[in-house]
């Protein structure tokens, strides 16, 4: 109760101070170290470039580590104008914009470069436009990197083939699509909040989890997990959103500066993610602590064939025709970016 009241009072004070204009209150749910976290690297670069690009007429105040509430609460605060900007995960955005689930098409991308092409190209523009049209009160500035492709860790055995998933309980977000994917792989899906994952792994409530390599490293999951498989089965970027009323109140030159700063923010998140992956803070460090399995093309194809139909049926049965349209565009753009036709 006291925490809720405190957040409400903080939000009220922020809303009042925002009336002065020219200040972007930027909330996110990650640690506030720009050298350790792609989200905060993004916000730090955005802040510096925007403030210098506008000669200080627009400034940025960053509130990381859930200082202002959860990721889902940040979305609502941006919509209400309590804060002006946030980076939100697909899971947090799904309750406001269910079509974001189309991004969870499993085993879609061949590599990181393909993700850049898709989210910076026609699909990214179509997705941004649809989010804006659906929510009405936000402007989408881009799709920063959360840390790269998902890997699967567990405490039971190495996973290289579909049959290896049998009997393993894997934590997922509360997204039904993530649960469908894990079930199609042959494992048991177990939705669990992020704050409970480490203790769940430690106590055996769950056997495994899935996240990008940098997150696995920073969360110290190697302390409670023995095996990691580089499945690369999901790529789930942030959505960078700005309050529309604030955006429309800026001058033309300030809006140009916002977009320039946002482009650099996205680039920073991608660059830091790749650096972390390749450093002792990422895969190289985890290989000294865990048994790491890389999949062959044939093993990955078998997993794709098992999960993609289940995911597409989920979209058709649970979302709307516009979501199916977006998924079709997504598949086409992914195929082009991969340099081949989409795997049926």
């Amino acid at each position: 109760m006291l925490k809720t009241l405190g957040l409400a009072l903080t939000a009220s004070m922020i809303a009042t101070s925002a009336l002065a204009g020219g200040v972007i209150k930027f909330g996110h749910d990650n640690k506030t170290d720009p050298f350790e976290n792609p989200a905060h690297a993004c916000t730090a670069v955005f802040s510096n470039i925007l403030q210098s690009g506008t000669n200080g007429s627009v400034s940025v105040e960053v509130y990381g580590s859930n200082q202002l509430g959860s990721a889902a609460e940040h979305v609502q605060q941006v919509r209400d104008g309590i804060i002006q900007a946030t980076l939100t995960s697909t899971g947090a955005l799904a309750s406001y914009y269910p079509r974001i689930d189309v991004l969870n098409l499993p085993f879609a991308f061949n590599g990181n470069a393909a993700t850049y092409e898709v989210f910076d190209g026609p699909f990214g523009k179509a997705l941004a436009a649809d989010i804006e049209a659906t929510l009405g009160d936000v402007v989408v500035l881009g799709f920063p990197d959360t840390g790269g492709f998902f890997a699967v860790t567990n405490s039971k055995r190495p996973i290289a083939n579909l049959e290896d998933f049998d009997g393993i309980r894997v934590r997922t977000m509360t997204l039904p699509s993530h649960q469908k994917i894990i079930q199609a792989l042959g494992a048991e899906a177990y939705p669990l909040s992020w704050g409970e994952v480490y203790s769940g792994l430690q106590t055996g409530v769950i056997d495994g989890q899935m996240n990008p390599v940098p997150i696995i490293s920073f969360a110290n999951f190697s302390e409670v997990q023995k095996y990691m498989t580089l499945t690369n089965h999901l790529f789930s970027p942030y959505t960078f959103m700005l309050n529309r009323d604030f955006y429309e109140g800026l001058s033309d030159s300030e809006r140009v500066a916002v977009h320039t700063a946002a482009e650099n923010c996205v680039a920073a998140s991608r660059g830091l993610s790749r650096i972390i992956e390749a450093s002792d803070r990422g895969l190289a460090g985890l290989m000294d602590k865990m048994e790491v399995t890389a999949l062959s093309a044939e093993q990955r194809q078998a997993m794709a064939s098992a999960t993609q139909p289940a995911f597409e049926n989920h979209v058709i049965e649970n979302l709307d025709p516009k979501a199916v349209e977006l998924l079709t565009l997504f598949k086409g753009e992914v195929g082009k970016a991969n340099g081949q036709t989409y795997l049926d």
Side-chain angles (χ1 to χ4, degrees), residues 26 51-52 56 68 92 140 162 169 188 196 200 206 220 270 312 342:
F26 200 141
Q51 289 177 186
S52 62
L68 305 180
V140 176
L162 284 170
R169 179 178 288 180
E188 178 186 350
E196 299 176 87
I206 48 177
N220 296 317
R270 292 170 176 172
E312 294 195 42
Y342 174 75

Side-chain angles (χ1 to χ4, degrees), residues 3 12 22 37 39 43 45 51 65 91 102 119 138 157-158 168 170 189 192 207 213 215 266 268 288 298 328:
K3 180 181 178 182
S12 176
N37 186 277
T43 61
V45 168
Q51 289 177 186
S65 300
V102 302
F119 286 103
V138 302
R157 68 178 77 95
I168 295 179
V170 179
L192 194 65
D207 304 310
V213 167
I215 293 177
V266 172
D288 293 332
E298 293 75 18
T328 300

Side-chain angles (χ1 to χ4, degrees), residues 208-237:
Q209 61 81 51
M210 56 182 190
N211 263 298
V213 167
I215 293 177
I216 292 169
S217 178
F218 296 151
N220 296 317
F221 288 154
S222 60
E223 297 174 351
V224 289
Q225 298 277 267
K226 186 175 181 180
Y227 307 101
M228 180 168 68
T229 302
L230 304 177
T231 49
N232 292 354
H233 62 293
L234 290 174
F235 180 85
S236 185

Side-chain angles (χ1 to χ4, degrees), residues 66 69-70 74 166 168 186 235 243 257 278 292 320 343:
N66 284 332
S70 67
H74 291 156
D166 184 47
I168 295 179
F235 180 85
N243 176 268
V292 178
D320 59 9
L343 297 173

Side-chain angles (χ1 to χ4, degrees), residues 145-158:
D145 201 317
T146 57
F149 289 109
F150 277 48
V152 174
T153 68
N154 84 98
S155 58
K156 284 194 168 184
R157 68 178 77 95

Side-chain angles (χ1 to χ4, degrees), residues 31 36 151 153 194 198 209 211-223 228 276-277 279-287 289-290:
K31 294 180 180 179
E36 293 286 341
T153 68
W194 173 247
Y198 186 94
Q209 61 81 51
N211 263 298
V213 167
I215 293 177
I216 292 169
S217 178
F218 296 151
N220 296 317
F221 288 154
S222 60
E223 297 174 351
M228 180 168 68
I276 291 172
E277 284 175 340
S279 73
D280 289 341
R281 295 173 295 162
L283 182 57
L286 290 173
M287 289 179 73
K289 304 171 184 176
M290 307 173 75

Side-chain angles (χ1 to χ4, degrees), residues 20 48-49 64 69 83 86 93 128 136 205 257 279 301 308 326:
N48 289 333
I49 291 180
I83 64 177
T86 192
L93 186 55
V205 171
S279 73
Q301 177 61 66
Q308 288 172 353
L326 282 170

Side-chain angles (χ1 to χ4, degrees), residues 20 30-31 56 106 108 110 120 162 193 221 269 271 290-291 300 314 319:
N30 286 272
K31 294 180 180 179
N110 283 349
D120 294 344
L162 284 170
S193 67
F221 288 154
S269 72
M290 307 173 75
E291 183 176 330
R300 196 166 183 271
H314 162 75
L319 298 179

